[in-house]
Amino acid sequence: MRFTTLVILAVVGATALSLTMFAPVESQPKIPPDFSYEPQKDSPGAVTFSHQKHRDAGVDKCTACHTKVFKMKKGQTGTPTMEKMKAGEQCGACHDGKKKVGDKVPFAVDDKSKCETCHKKKA
Ligand code: HEC
Ligand code: HEC
Ligand code: HEC
């Protein structure tokens, strides 16, 4: 009798534990905080990339960027350059002023009115 009770408790306990361990990870992946790229030579200013803002803009699938466009570790893809982005790599995979992402067309990296949307001058 006591042994059966123990077994049942163990099974219930293990099930509850595995649910709390795996359920949140699957339904809601944790998104990393904003980070800034170190400005390279001639850069008009530091660029901050925000996972949250992209998510708010409707880019809710991690696979939109990972791992075809960006590796899932900071610095692993290499710092973007305008040349690569204009060739459709890195941020330019979406920011070309033509590609539709969800219901939006992200502004182009070579749009002169948009440089400062990404590059922030030091205050
Ligand atoms: C979608 C975001 C985005 C837009 C828009 C953008 N850039 Fe950049 N740019 C970056 C990122 C990210 C880097 C890499 C970090 C750095 O060097 O500041 C970069 C780097 C640079 C660099 C240094 C590296 C290189 O390739 O020479 C220059 C110069 C530059 N950008 C100029 C511009 C100009 C001029 C505009 C507007 C016509 C512009 N950028 C618009 C994201 C952007
Ligand atoms: C719009 C593009 C984009 C989307 C969508 C995106 N990421 Fe990222 N993520 C990036 C970029 C850019 C980096 C930096 C990569 C690099 O420097 O090589 C990054 C890096 C990461 C890192 C590494 C952070 C670190 O400090 O090393 C993790 C973890 C990550 N992303 C998780 C996610 C998850 C989870 C999702 C979905 C909820 C997601 N990303 C969606 C662009 C994106
Ligand atoms: C998977 C496609 C995709 C990629 C890759 C991507 N973006 Fe975006 N980005 C978007 C969309 C969609 C928006 C929303 C555009 C709009 O509202 O018109 C956006 C908006 C932005 C904004 C404006 C956010 C705000 O609300 O202030 C910035 C800044 C930005 N992106 C920077 C970057 C940088 C830097 C990179 C590369 C590290 C990058 N993005 C890569 C899709 C992308």
Side-chain angles (χ1 to χ4, degrees):
M1 214 26 179
R2 253 186 92 200
F3 180 71
T4 320
T5 315
L6 271 178
V7 169
I8 292 171
L9 279 178
V11 169
V12 170
T15 311
L17 186 65
S18 60
L19 281 179
T20 48
M21 265 165 42
F22 298 117
V25 177
E26 265 167 6
S27 57
Q28 216 178 49
K30 213 170 169 232
I31 63 167
D34 295 3
F35 67 86
S36 296
Y37 287 102
E38 189 64 40
Q40 301 158 102
K41 190 175 174 287
D42 300 331
S43 168
V47 177
T48 298
F49 177 81
S50 171
H51 275 88
Q52 188 62 55
K53 280 189 180 160
H54 279 82
R55 191 177 207 164
D56 294 346
V59 191
D60 51 1
K61 291 207 175 57
C62 312
T63 49
C65 290
H66 299 301
T67 52
K68 205 163 165 252
V69 183
F70 291 107
K71 305 236 167 65
M72 221 150 161
K73 192 161 170 27
K74 225 164 79 193
Q76 285 291 297
T77 314
T79 308
T81 64
M82 296 310 284
E83 197 182 36
K84 282 189 182 157
M85 290 191 287
K86 282 183 201 163
E89 293 173 46
Q90 301 165 326
C91 316
C94 295
H95 287 275
D96 68 355
K98 291 187 285 248
K99 189 180 170 182
K100 241 183 143 205
V101 181
D103 60 352
K104 302 210 162 79
V105 178
F107 52 90
V109 285
D110 56 1
D111 179 342
K112 286 198 171 58
S113 72
K114 293 292 183 185
C115 310
E116 286 167 31
T117 307
C118 285
H119 291 280
K120 304 287 180 206
K121 289 200 181 80
K122 262 196 200 139

